[in-house]
Amino acid sequence: MSRILMSLVALLLALYLILCAALFVFQRSLIYFPQSGAVDSAQSRMTLTMPDANIRVSVREHSGARALIYFGGNAEDVSRNLPAFAEAFPDYAIYLLHYRGFGGSGGSPSEEAIARDALALFDQVFARHPQVALIGRSLGSGVAVRLASQRPVTRLILVTPFNSLVELAVEHYPWVPVKWLLKEHFESGRYAAHIRVPTLLLAASDDEVVPRASTERLLHSFPDGVATLEVVKDSAHNSISERPQYLQSMKEMLNR
């Protein structure tokens, strides 16, 4: 091999290693895309006080036993769901968690920090409402599954869910050793095995982000008879919530 060719190979290898190092260091900025809160008023917000940050929660207060906690996607302003959810689920108190760095929440997002915030929110809500259902969308499906494996939820709804963030990363970036680099794993399938409450998985028919195979692997991770899968027709990863079946399927699950 000529000296020029060897030098070129060494240069390409160095550039590849630099790229991998950059992805490792800055990966969370490639996973989380903080959004501000659009639907915001003193009546529609509460603060969850954590030891290291104050976390914003958009709320629709309602007396009674039932409550709904929602965990959104990685680039979602969850407060935008408040009007539609308030109308669709009139008998539920509604709590929409703004991840760290999103919608006025302090701190920086990470899988473990969000998991701690979700547990704290559930415990606070559960003290007032003994029947708590969870909805998690996209990245939030990983948050919801983990929480449901640790707390006594009544129903679990997962929208465009995946089996593992590592699996998705391998599929989208096959040229990067993501299994070694990725800090955020969101291993939903591992937590699903411990869930016993009725669970609905809503998949988009034309999801360009989460392959159907990943959602089906998650489905089969649940114990037999616990989870069902519905496919929302003529929908993509981000447009699924625009279809009538989206809220209708949720209402049917929550009213079982």
Side-chain angles (χ1 to χ4, degrees), residues 53-57 97-107:
N54 288 329
I55 308 303
R56 180 67 55 82
V57 183
L97 179 71
H98 294 267
Y99 301 142
R100 293 174 179 235
F102 288 64
S105 291

Side-chain angles (χ1 to χ4, degrees), residues 192-206:
H194 303 286
I195 294 174
R196 298 292 185 273
V197 300
T199 299
L200 171 65
L201 280 63
L202 284 178
S205 61
D206 304 299

